[in-house]
Amino acid sequence: THPDPSLSSLFAKENLAHMSEEQLNCYDRLINEPSNDWDIYYWATEAKPTPAEFDTDVMAMLREFAKNRNREQRLRQPDLEYLFEPPR
């Protein structure tokens, strides 16, 4: 099972359009290289320390996003239409 499908999807929806090319590359590595989605979840929620190779500003953004300071209701993944929206 995936630990929290909404965390990475909602993060992507909110942040991808504003990321630099370098940040997009870091995000791509982060979601594709670790062999276990649970690792990303544990790093984002600070349950486990993030390995140096993934401890980038993108991971810092994901950790901040995971804290959900605005207490948004995050019960489901977003629709994928955002992938086709022009950048704001």
Side-chain angles (χ1 to χ4, degrees), residues 35-82:
S35 59
N36 188 338
D37 286 342
W38 279 102
D39 287 335
I40 299 169
Y41 180 77
Y42 291 142
W43 303 335
T45 58
E46 300 181 81
K48 291 184 179 179
T50 305
E53 67 265 32
F54 296 113
D55 201 5
T56 64
D57 62 332
V58 172
M59 178 50 80
M61 291 166 62
L62 184 56
R63 279 194 295 261
E64 187 61 31
F65 185 81
K67 291 176 183 170
N68 195 11
R69 294 188 194 277
N70 295 332
R71 304 205 185 287
E72 298 167 330
Q73 209 170 32
R74 298 176 176 171
L75 301 177
R76 59 185 283 276
Q77 289 183 295
D79 297 326
L80 297 180
E81 283 82 11
Y82 75 90

Side-chain angles (χ1 to χ4, degrees), residues 9-38:
S9 298
L10 290 168
F11 174 81
K13 179 178 182 179
E14 205 167 285
N15 292 282
L16 288 186
H18 309 289
M19 286 185 180
S20 68
E21 186 173 346
E22 182 179 347
Q23 289 173 321
L24 290 170
N25 288 337
C26 287
Y27 183 73
D28 185 62
R29 280 188 57 230
L30 177 65
I31 62 171
N32 288 304
E33 286 187 20
S35 59
N36 188 338
D37 286 342
W38 279 102

